[in-house]
Amino acid sequence: MLMQIKNVRKQFNGVDVLKNVNVDVQKGDVIVILGPSGSGKTTFLRCLNFLEQADEGTMQFDTLHLDLSHTSSSDIAKVRKKTAFVFQNYNLFANKTALENVTLGLTAGRHVGKSEALAIGRQALDKVGLSDRYDYYPAQLSGGQQQRVGIARAIAVKPDVILFDEPTSALDPELIGEVLRVMKKLAEEGTTMIVVTHEMKFAQDVATHVIFMDGGVIVEEGAAEDIFVHPKHDRTKMFLKRILPCGGICEEYECR
Amino acid sequence: MLMQIKNVRKQFNGVDVLKNVNVDVQKGDVIVILGPSGSGKTTFLRCLNFLEQADEGTMQFDTLHLDLSHTSSSDIAKVRKKTAFVFQNYNLFANKTALENVTLGLTAGRHVGKSEALAIGRQALDKVGLSDRYDYYPAQLSGGQQQRVGIARAIAVKPDVILFDEPTSALDPELIGEVLRVMKKLAEEGTTMIVVTHEMKFAQDVATHVIFMDGGVIVEEGAAEDIFVHPKHDRTKMFLKRILPCGGICEEYECR
Amino acid sequence: MDLDLDFMYETFFKILGGISTTLELTILSLLLAAPIAFYMAVLRLNDAKISSGAVRVYVSFVRGTPIILQILLLYSLLPSVLNTIVQTLGINFNVFDAIDPFFYAVVVFSLNTIALLSEVFRSALISISKGQLEAGLSIGLTRFQVYIHVIIPQAMVVALPNICNITVNLIKGTSLAFLMTVKDVLAIGKIAASFGYNYIEAYIDVFFVYIILCTIIQVLYTAAESKISTFRAMHV
Amino acid sequence: GKSETKETAAGTDGAKKVITVAHTNYYVPYDYVNDKGESDGFEVAVMKEVAKKLPQYEFKFVPTSDDDLLIGVESGKYTVGTKGIWKTPAREKKYIFPKNYIGASVIGLVIRKDTADKIKDMESFAAYSGKLVPIAPQNAQYAVVEEYNKSHPDKQIKLVPSEAFKVSDAYTWVMEGRYDAYFEVELNYKNNVLNKNGSYHQFADNVSYIRYKGIPTYPLFNKKEQKFADEYDKAIEELRAEGKIAELENKYFGESLSNYIGDSDK
Amino acid sequence: MNYRPFDPSFLLQSIPALLPYLQITLFVGISSIVFGSIFGILLAKAKLSSIGPLRWLAQGYTYVMRCTPSIVLLFIVFYGLPKLVDGLFNYQIDDWDRSVFAIITLVLLFGAYVSEVFRSAYLAVPRGQYEAAVSIGLTPLQAVIQVVIPQAMIIALPNFGNSVINLLKEGALAYTIGLIDLIGKGNLIISQNFGAYAIEIYLACMFIYWVMALLIEKVFFIIEKRLDKGQTLKTVQTVKQDKKRARLFLIKGVKFHGPGS
Ligand SMILES: Nc1ncnc2c1ncn2[C@@H]1O[C@H](COP(=O)(O)OP(=O)(O)OP(=O)(O)O)[C@@H](O)[C@H]1O
Ligand SMILES: Nc1ncnc2c1ncn2[C@@H]1O[C@H](COP(=O)(O)OP(=O)(O)OP(=O)(O)O)[C@@H](O)[C@H]1O
Ligand SMILES: [Mg+2]
Ligand SMILES: [Mg+2]
């Protein structure tokens, strides 16, 4: 088991945003988290990367056993070296060009040589279709371009685990396809991923495990087929019904 | 004719981002702009609201005839009083709560009484499903919640024209449905809208006119049926093919 | 070396009498300077060639040259100039008696505070993202309204610690007004000390008064800062 | 406390005890730093002669500001301080004043010529208007005027304290009527106005000078330095007897100041 | 006015006489700025720290220092420090160069002031910037240095400029303990002339200070331009300005074709 996350609880101003969340992640897994707006998806990912301190919860990562509510900074550093985060609002470094955004994690974070980092960085940007925007600053990029830089930044450092928070929200359907293809490729290469997304197609195609959250708890989880084809809970059924082609019961993926 | 936009040209650092863009808008129109990332959709909307100064171009708005490249600030103010903008990256007022974000345009911008403004503001937030987040600051809201506040802020001032820049990108499919319903209702009430979106369903259902942009020019435009069912240009065909259910030829809307 | 405690005790209360002068000078200067300084900051952001250049020259001159020297120019020259003007116009007005030196002090310190504050405001404005202005404009607010409702409240969070720096510096710096015979806290201490050369005692007294005064002011500023920054201190 | 142990330690080493003479650095021609950056001036020159008489000590001259000089002598950082100080009873509580004065200065009023018929002395000035250019309180002149006011309660001069201002303003202020008199050391008046090269010589016809009195000036000693103060007194008496001091007065002032000092002040 | 002698040639003559004394102003000033900034950074870091006592200590220090008039602190350092060092280590520092005491004083004060400048600028950078940096494996220190500080700097610079120029002027404080700086020399010249030429000398001093301030501001201006990557409120308007220039150009070019073509 690569990651075992247990019993995560998180409050904001006394309101529970996450309650007793448990997730097991095997190496190479692609875990998709679905759920309505405000259900705690982002908060959960942030807790995993210690950007938010959980009030309770443990995480076993590789050989590390961590208490999410008070983790030593050296442990945090270890986990972060092996993970990367794609932010819902991109959070590109405003003072760095697209290429610098992508290479920084290599040169500063991983002591990769400058020219090698540049090569890797260019490659990553090329993958997401930004070969003509290397030297643009974030303020000069369109929404979709910024989002893709964010993705390139995360994949460039070749982490063991990537946490994606709605990585295709600002993209047009054409590009969504491209980006999902890149992600699929990563999955095939064995990168472990936890992905918050509303792209059902991607979930159906790639997810090894689907989690449906609502109100800070995991309502239902299971293999993609199970969740999409035979959801058990009413809440899940309702959610899926509205959004899947053919009213939620859709065995023929091609339809979409 | 409510708006007639002619010959808009815009460069950034000597690179054309918009070239000779012409759009006619009738009162009550819902114009949907489609196009790949970086094609200039956002820039176009921004030029219409004078957030970006076009290098060339004219706009007739109601009885006003404006030169987009040098407009007097009083004319700009007149246009802005009648329009609202939903930003791709939300741009919520960081120092104001959700409710204050929504009411500010009423109290300060339009001299609506405080209690009336509050009533309108609450109603607008309720419409987008945020009745439990009135007093949250933007930093305390999830991505989708922020996006919905942005929408509520624009519709609360009841403008003649609303410019939407990917208003549902951060929403889950369930909410997308809700928000699109709100927009449909606005359309039925006669609000004119120019919407950048990738929600084909919405375009198909509501758009009176669809514009497909690429590389800063309008490649193709026409009624929704024409564009979706019988696209003429190869570029349009390619774009649609990838994204529409059933390979771009889809007469049965229910399918999605 | 023995401290003259009696002297210290007596002088302390004498010095307290200077607080009003110190505070009046400080507060008046701040209030007079703030709007002008803010306008200057906006001019500089606009980067309009002439006005922004003029502001830069003003700021560099006023904050770049010692206040003592400015006082010298203003206090020793200006009244003379005014007097000459009044005389040649034949107006029956005694410039030297009618204008209280306090007035010159307010002018000098306001001019200085304008220069410093304009930089404080400029830095605070730089920290606000442009989307905030655009969002305000797009819902039909005037630029002025956006500044009032959105930009200034956010900018103040960044500005307050720096305004606090300026305020406490003013409190201490207004003692230069003694060059113009205006007696603030420090001046009273110096006068008291001069008879028996009790400088050490007087300075300790003055120090105490400043500690009280500046602590109150700093506490107020810190409270204000934490109050107006509630909106952003979410993730800790 | 601690400085004492330090000094005795130095003393037992057999090294000479160091006498630090602090002097103000721009009170020309009494104490100042000359073009070469050396300590200079009449009082400094006298102290240097004193040093020759007391070879058991090593003298060190430190130019510094008035504030530092006063605090430094009080705290023991400096042994002696000299800046043209006038004796007052309050000051004697803090410092040792020697029996013998070191120099003297003559002070008086600078007034406009057109008021010369009305202002003849301090009393008539007080009667005329009493508007005197402000004086820095640490300046001894302040104490002199204050003393005058105490002894003439019915003929007060308007004494306004302020931080020190430069002379050029004061002359101008008097001439343009902002004030009616300026309390000034006679020597400065001579150099500025009467001297053909003085920068105010062009206005020699506009102003005149009324001598008030000459006042002896003293160096200050740290409270623990009574022994050294006594040795100083002895040295000064010898120097005065030898005519050395008169010689220096001539060098720095071009005349003997001692003549101006009234017997009561000596 | 006619009663005020004014000799412009004296003003010009005095500049070369004054300039060498700028050296002490600059020496004291620059050393204090360098060490004071480092100290200020440490203080700001402490104030932002999650360790309570450290935070309170730094905050308390700032409070007290900002209450302290520089001249009082100077005397405390000049008289107190040698006694303290003597008492603690039995070591004499009385004879140290006076500039050392002036520098220590100014470092203590400057540190307190700029720590607030740094703190407010640091907090003004959106937290997401730091988060993004650590999320790709930068250490917190690297994240701050590589990402947060460059963005905080553009916000801090104007206030830092205030403090730096203020400090260079405060350098005149050194005069109180007998160091002759620019203004000190000015006063010397004035006294050597029995108080005459004060206006001329002071104008010369002002002029020198002003030139110094202009140079400093120029440097800051260049740094600021370099740091601005188009994210600030400032740039909306600069962009507009560029456009105004471009438009002027356009109008010229279009003249013969008539508008609207
Ligand atoms: N700092 C905060 N203070 C208070 N409440 C917060 C804070 N941050 C988040 N919340 C609340 O926690 C809930 C979960 O937020 P989160 O960002 O995890 O949602 P999400 O599932 O990512 O939603 P979305 O799909 O809209 O991004 C939301 O209701 C939000 O209002
Ligand atoms: N300030 C700027 N400087 C230089 N180039 C810019 C600037 N702003 C935008 N651009 C470029 O203009 C092009 C159009 O940007 P725009 O934001 O209009 O795209 P968009 O169609 O909205 O894309 P998306 O769907 O990704 O949001 C992009 O290629 C972008 O890189
Ligand atoms: Mg989220
Ligand atoms: Mg866009």
Side-chain angles (χ1 to χ4, degrees):
Chain A
M1 184 106 49
L2 180 62
M3 283 168 94
Q4 187 161 40
I5 300 133
K6 277 208 176 131
N7 195 28
V8 179
R9 202 169 61 81
K10 171 76 191 166
Q11 292 197 329
F12 282 120
N13 311 330
V15 181
D16 275 324
V17 171
L18 294 175
K19 275 174 289 199
N20 190 28
V21 177
N22 298 282
V23 178
D24 289 351
V25 187
Q26 306 284 349
K27 194 169 153 28
D29 265 1
V30 177
I31 305 221
V32 164
I33 303 181
L34 299 174
S37 173
S39 57
K41 307 180 295 293
T42 298
T43 308
F44 178 63
L45 288 195
R46 290 172 59 85
C47 286
L48 297 189
N49 217 18
F50 309 97
L51 300 176
E52 218 66 76
Q53 192 177 37
D55 299 327
E56 254 177 60
T58 59
M59 173 162 93
Q60 176 246 309
F61 187 98
D62 245 344
T63 54
L64 290 172
H65 287 266
L66 310 170
D67 181 340
L68 288 177
S69 62
H70 35 293
T71 324
S72 74
S73 36
S74 69
D75 283 344
I76 292 182
K78 276 180 207 153
V79 174
R80 282 184 182 153
K81 281 266 184 244
K82 296 190 174 173
T83 59
F85 201 114
V86 177
F87 294 85
Q88 188 169 11
N89 58 348
Y90 329 141
N91 280 343
L92 298 189
F93 306 132
N95 60 323
K96 305 218 177 269
T97 62
L99 188 56
E100 287 165 358
N101 260 279
V102 177
T103 54
L104 185 64
L106 296 163
T107 52
R110 280 159 184 85
H111 309 294
V112 176
K114 183 142 187 170
S115 60
E116 195 188 337
L118 283 177
I120 299 175
R122 290 207 189 91
Q123 212 184 338
L125 285 173
D126 295 349
K127 264 190 202 159
V128 293
L130 285 176
S131 34
D132 52 346
R133 289 290 184 275
Y134 292 158
D135 296 327
Y136 279 56
Y137 286 100
Q140 302 174 305
L141 293 171
S142 80
Q145 288 163 348
Q146 290 184 43
Q147 186 161 50
R148 285 177 281 159
V149 175
I151 295 169
R153 181 172 67 181
I155 62 180
V157 296
K158 299 206 172 60
D160 296 347
V161 182
I162 311 185
L163 310 169
F164 287 95
D165 196 359
E166 310 204 11
T168 57
S169 60
L171 302 182
D172 61 275
E174 213 173 18
L175 267 173
I176 293 178
E178 308 258 332
V179 168
L180 293 183
R181 224 184 332 275
V182 172
M183 288 170 65
K184 253 185 234 181
K185 187 124 177 291
L186 286 173
E188 281 156 21
E189 289 164 12
T191 309
T192 311
M193 292 188 262
I194 305 181
V195 189
V196 171
T197 185
H198 300 128
E199 288 301 320
M200 299 303 155
K201 181 88 163 62
F202 176 77
Q204 291 169 345
D205 280 10
V206 192
T208 52
H209 195 81
V210 174
I211 293 173
F212 177 67
M213 282 181 78
D214 192 16
V217 297
I218 295 182
V219 176
E220 187 161 358
E221 58 182 320
E225 304 95 271
D226 293 343
I227 298 278
F228 290 115
V229 187
H230 313 293
K232 284 191 211 76
H233 278 72
D234 290 346
R235 183 70 188 86
T236 325
K237 279 182 197 149
M238 226 172 73
F239 186 82
L240 292 173
K241 191 164 162 185
R242 296 249 193 86
I243 60 172
L244 281 183
C246 324
I249 317 294
C250 182
E251 266 155 304
E252 194 196 347
Y253 291 169
E254 300 316 294
C255 167
R256 212 205 158 206
Chain B
M1 184 107 48
L2 180 62
M3 282 169 93
Q4 186 162 38
I5 300 134
K6 274 205 179 135
N7 194 29
V8 179
R9 200 169 64 80
K10 171 75 192 167
Q11 292 197 330
F12 282 119
N13 310 330
V15 180
D16 276 323
V17 171
L18 294 175
K19 275 174 291 201
N20 191 27
V21 177
N22 299 282
V23 177
D24 290 350
V25 187
Q26 306 283 349
K27 193 167 156 23
D29 265 2
V30 178
I31 306 221
V32 164
I33 302 181
L34 300 174
S37 173
S39 57
K41 306 180 294 295
T42 299
T43 308
F44 178 62
L45 288 195
R46 289 170 59 84
C47 286
L48 297 189
N49 218 18
F50 308 98
L51 298 176
E52 224 54 87
Q53 192 177 38
D55 298 329
E56 253 176 62
T58 58
M59 173 162 93
Q60 176 248 309
F61 187 98
D62 246 346
T63 54
L64 289 173
H65 287 266
L66 310 170
D67 181 341
L68 288 177
S69 63
H70 35 295
T71 323
S72 74
S73 31
S74 69
D75 283 343
I76 293 182
K78 279 180 206 152
V79 173
R80 283 187 183 147
K81 280 267 185 238
K82 298 192 173 173
T83 58
F85 201 112
V86 177
F87 293 86
Q88 188 167 12
N89 58 348
Y90 329 143
N91 281 341
L92 299 189
F93 304 130
N95 60 320
K96 306 238 172 246
T97 62
L99 189 56
E100 288 165 355
N101 259 279
V102 178
T103 54
L104 186 63
L106 295 164
T107 51
R110 281 159 183 84
H111 310 294
V112 176
K114 183 140 187 171
S115 60
E116 195 189 337
L118 283 178
I120 300 175
R122 290 206 189 90
Q123 211 184 337
L125 284 174
D126 295 350
K127 266 191 200 159
V128 293
L130 286 176
S131 33
D132 53 345
R133 288 290 183 277
Y134 292 159
D135 297 328
Y136 278 56
Y137 285 103
Q140 300 173 301
L141 293 171
S142 80
Q145 288 163 348
Q146 290 183 42
Q147 186 161 51
R148 285 177 281 158
V149 174
I151 295 170
R153 179 171 69 181
I155 61 180
V157 296
K158 299 208 171 58
D160 296 348
V161 182
I162 310 186
L163 309 169
F164 287 95
D165 197 359
E166 310 204 11
T168 57
S169 60
L171 303 182
D172 60 274
E174 213 174 17
L175 266 173
I176 292 179
E178 308 259 331
V179 168
L180 293 184
R181 224 184 334 275
V182 172
M183 288 170 64
K184 255 186 234 179
K185 186 122 177 292
L186 285 174
E188 281 156 23
E189 289 164 13
T191 309
T192 310
M193 291 187 260
I194 303 181
V195 189
V196 171
T197 184
H198 301 129
E199 287 302 318
M200 299 303 154
K201 181 88 162 65
F202 177 77
Q204 291 169 344
D205 280 10
V206 192
T208 52
H209 195 81
V210 175
I211 293 173
F212 176 68
M213 280 181 79
D214 192 15
V217 296
I218 296 183
V219 176
E220 190 164 352
E221 58 182 319
E225 304 95 272
D226 294 343
I227 299 279
F228 289 114
V229 187
H230 313 292
K232 285 190 210 79
H233 277 71
D234 291 347
R235 183 67 188 87
T236 325
K237 280 182 196 150
M238 227 172 73
F239 186 80
L240 293 172
K241 190 166 166 184
R242 298 247 192 87
I243 59 172
L244 282 183
C246 323
I249 317 294
C250 180
E251 266 157 303
E252 195 196 346
Y253 291 168
E254 299 316 295
C255 166
R256 213 204 156 206
Chain C
M1 182 177 110
D2 302 305
L3 291 181
D4 184 343
L5 294 178
D6 290 341
F7 172 87
M8 272 179 80
Y9 183 78
E10 268 171 44
T11 309
F12 183 77
F13 290 99
K14 272 192 211 155
I15 288 175
L16 286 183
I19 287 185
S20 61
T21 307
T22 298
L23 281 184
E24 275 166 30
L25 263 181
T26 305
I27 293 171
L28 265 177
S29 305
L30 279 173
L31 290 182
L32 289 174
I36 303 170
F38 191 85
Y39 184 64
M40 283 188 168
V42 174
L43 281 182
R44 274 213 57 190
L45 283 181
N46 284 348
D47 234 2
K49 268 251 151 73
I50 296 170
S51 50
S52 143
V55 170
R56 280 179 65 188
V57 170
Y58 174 83
V59 169
S60 70
F61 181 75
V62 173
R63 79 170 174 176
T65 54
I67 300 188
I68 305 191
L69 305 187
Q70 292 168 20
I71 288 176
L72 183 96
L73 282 188
L74 200 100
Y75 181 64
S76 72
L77 292 185
L78 187 63
S80 309
V81 175
L82 286 180
N83 186 51
T84 322
I85 295 172
V86 166
Q87 300 281 304
T88 47
L89 291 179
I91 304 167
N92 187 16
F93 176 76
N94 190 335
V95 174
F96 304 127
D97 288 345
I99 306 179
D100 193 307
F102 183 83
F103 167 79
Y104 294 110
V106 170
V107 172
V108 170
F109 290 109
S110 298
L111 289 176
N112 270 276
T113 310
I114 287 173
L116 296 174
L117 271 187
S118 80
E119 287 295 277
V120 169
F121 288 142
R122 193 166 69 84
S123 109
L125 289 175
I126 287 175
S127 75
I128 309 298
S129 81
K130 57 179 171 178
Q132 297 290 315
L133 175 63
E134 295 176 351
L137 294 175
S138 80
I139 52 167
L141 305 191
T142 61
R143 194 170 278 258
F144 180 74
Q145 284 174 321
V146 187
Y147 270 95
I148 294 290
H149 292 284
V150 179
I151 293 179
I152 293 178
Q154 291 179 41
M156 278 318 264
V157 181
V158 184
L160 269 185
N162 300 301
I163 300 179
C164 183
N165 270 352
I166 287 180
T167 310
V168 290
N169 260 342
L170 251 182
I171 290 213
K172 296 186 280 177
T174 44
S175 59
L176 287 175
F178 191 35
L179 280 163
M180 299 174 273
T181 72
V182 176
K183 280 177 274 180
D184 77 322
V185 169
L186 185 63
I188 295 178
K190 278 189 175 171
I191 295 170
S194 65
F195 304 114
Y197 286 164
N198 303 82
Y199 283 100
I200 299 180
E201 290 90 339
Y203 278 139
I204 294 175
D205 275 344
V206 170
F207 187 24
F208 273 127
V209 173
Y210 278 143
I211 289 209
I212 297 168
L213 216 56
C214 294
T215 304
I216 294 173
I217 283 170
Q218 293 183 76
V219 166
L220 290 178
Y221 270 102
T222 311
E225 189 194 338
S226 70
K227 186 168 159 51
I228 64 171
S229 65
T230 38
F231 68 86
R232 79 172 185 195
M234 293 310 148
H235 298 285
V236 178
Chain D
K2 280 191 190 87
S3 52
E4 211 176 21
T5 49
K6 185 180 104 196
E7 275 155 25
T8 39
T12 49
D13 277 353
K16 282 188 192 174
K17 180 179 167 181
V18 177
I19 298 292
T20 320
V21 183
H23 65 88
T24 187
N25 55 19
Y26 58 94
Y27 187 32
V28 182
Y30 290 84
D31 312 274
Y32 60 96
V33 176
N34 65 20
D35 285 339
K36 300 186 201 83
E38 298 159 345
S39 295
D40 201 347
F42 170 73
E43 293 186 341
V44 171
V46 173
M47 288 309 283
K48 283 183 175 161
E49 290 302 324
V50 171
K52 284 184 198 152
K53 295 257 172 208
L54 302 172
Q56 68 270 38
Y57 297 114
E58 185 188 332
F59 276 69
K60 219 172 88 186
F61 289 84
V62 180
T64 190
S65 70
D66 291 5
D67 277 342
D68 179 49
L69 181 144
L70 293 173
I71 292 178
V73 174
E74 188 181 347
S75 76
K77 188 163 199 126
Y78 309 126
T79 327
V80 193
T82 178
K83 65 175 201 83
I85 295 158
W86 300 349
K87 203 188 224 169
T88 69
R91 289 170 190 172
E92 278 174 296
K93 281 199 271 176
K94 290 248 155 200
Y95 306 93
I96 295 170
F97 280 81
K99 288 190 217 58
N100 287 290
Y101 63 88
I102 187 165
S105 51
V106 180
I107 46 167
L109 294 172
V110 177
I111 56 168
R112 279 191 306 281
K113 267 267 163 66
D114 61 7
T115 57
D117 52 332
K118 296 184 201 83
I119 305 175
K120 302 274 184 218
D121 49 22
M122 297 285 273
E123 287 86 351
S124 55
F125 169 56
Y128 177 76
S129 75
K131 266 167 63 182
L132 185 69
V133 172
I135 307 175
Q138 67 266 29
N139 188 328
Q141 294 167 13
Y142 189 83
V144 171
V145 179
E146 186 141 80
E147 210 166 277
Y148 163 86
N149 274 346
K150 266 194 205 131
S151 52
H152 299 82
D154 50 338
K155 287 182 188 138
Q156 296 263 340
I157 285 170
K158 291 183 192 121
L159 179 58
V160 179
S162 95
E163 203 63 271
F165 242 105
K166 288 303 154 201
V167 197
S168 48
D169 286 298
Y171 284 118
T172 309
W173 287 350
V174 169
M175 284 186 283
E176 68 188 10
R178 189 164 175 172
Y179 295 97
D180 291 322
Y182 169 45
F183 216 53
E184 169 68 307
V185 174
E186 185 168 333
L187 186 71
N188 286 350
Y189 177 77
K190 283 181 183 158
N191 279 308
N192 273 316
V193 181
L194 301 184
N195 186 327
K196 282 206 171 39
N197 299 320
S199 55
Y200 278 82
H201 185 63
Q202 47 181 315
F203 302 115
D205 290 341
N206 299 59
V207 291
S208 67
Y209 190 82
I210 301 169
R211 182 177 296 163
Y212 176 49
K213 62 174 170 180
I215 295 175
T217 61
Y218 295 83
L220 293 172
F221 293 74
N222 178 268
K223 273 279 185 196
K224 295 203 185 71
E225 302 290 348
Q226 187 61 54
K227 179 168 160 274
F228 176 66
D230 294 341
E231 286 165 334
Y232 158 89
D233 269 326
K234 222 171 111 240
I236 286 283
E237 278 155 24
E238 287 171 27
L239 286 169
R240 193 150 280 147
E242 290 163 12
K244 191 75 199 168
I245 294 201
E247 186 186 311
L248 289 174
E249 281 176 346
N250 245 319
K251 177 176 170 203
Y252 283 96
F253 305 115
E255 59 183 329
S256 168
L257 296 177
S258 314
N259 301 337
Y260 298 128
I261 301 172
D263 281 335
S264 62
D265 286 317
K266 265 186 188 169
Chain E
M1 282 313 280
N2 40 348
Y3 290 124
R4 197 177 289 276
F6 185 75
D7 185 353
S9 67
F10 195 86
L11 195 161
L12 292 178
Q13 279 166 29
S14 62
I15 290 182
L18 289 166
L19 272 181
Y21 291 84
L22 190 59
Q23 210 179 330
I24 185 85
T25 303
L26 287 178
F27 170 68
V28 171
I30 292 174
S31 330
S32 312
I33 289 165
V34 170
F35 294 115
S37 301
I38 296 170
F39 184 42
I41 290 170
L42 295 178
L43 276 175
K45 197 167 146 49
K47 276 187 255 184
L48 293 165
S49 141
S50 53
I51 304 163
L54 198 60
R55 215 166 50 227
W56 299 324
L57 207 68
Q59 193 66 52
Y61 174 84
T62 308
Y63 272 25
V64 173
M65 272 304 145
R66 294 203 295 188
C67 298
T68 314
S70 44
I71 181 144
V72 171
L73 187 67
L74 179 70
F75 280 129
I76 294 175
V77 170
F78 189 51
Y79 289 102
L81 192 67
K83 290 198 173 155
L84 187 76
V85 172
D86 189 15
L88 288 179
F89 309 107
N90 198 18
Y91 182 75
Q92 306 303 324
I93 60 169
D94 253 322
D95 295 337
W96 280 10
D97 194 288
R98 280 154 194 259
S99 56
V100 175
F101 295 99
I103 292 170
I104 293 175
T105 306
L106 292 173
V107 165
L108 292 175
L109 274 175
F110 187 73
Y113 283 103
V114 293
S115 72
E116 283 294 277
V117 172
F118 294 152
R119 182 180 68 86
S120 66
Y122 179 90
L123 288 176
V125 177
R127 176 121 187 115
Q129 296 289 315
Y130 169 85
E131 292 179 347
V134 294
S135 82
I136 51 167
L138 271 64
T139 63
L141 185 67
Q142 283 176 321
V144 168
I145 289 174
Q146 299 265 358
V147 176
V148 183
I149 287 182
Q151 294 179 57
M153 228 155 98
I154 186 172
I155 301 167
L157 270 180
N159 294 312
F160 189 67
N162 273 351
S163 297
V164 161
I165 291 173
N166 196 31
L167 180 113
L168 284 178
K169 292 190 287 176
E170 283 260 21
L173 197 64
Y175 173 70
T176 311
I177 51 172
L179 284 170
I180 297 177
D181 70 329
L182 185 64
I183 296 212
K185 177 62 185 176
N187 282 331
L188 276 179
I189 298 180
I190 294 169
S191 358
Q192 275 157 12
N193 290 291
F194 299 97
Y197 301 117
I199 295 273
E200 289 86 344
I201 298 286
Y202 283 147
L203 281 176
C205 288
M206 268 183 125
F207 176 75
I208 295 172
Y209 267 109
W210 190 18
V211 169
M212 197 161 70
L214 280 172
L215 289 177
I216 293 170
E217 281 171 18
K218 184 81 197 161
V219 172
F220 277 26
F221 187 69
I222 293 168
I223 302 176
E224 222 177 84
K225 279 261 140 125
R226 292 198 136 208
L227 288 171
D228 188 1
K229 308 298 188 201
Q231 71 273 36
T232 61
L233 189 58
K234 176 177 167 168
T235 1
V236 203
Q237 327 221 354
T238 2
V239 168
K240 288 243 168 78
Q241 192 58 31
D242 288 344
K243 254 169 274 161
K244 260 182 218 151
R245 272 180 224 130
R247 206 174 61 214
L248 277 178
F249 181 75
L250 260 180
I251 290 170
K252 271 184 207 149
V254 156
K255 223 176 190 165
F256 300 108
H257 309 284
S261 60

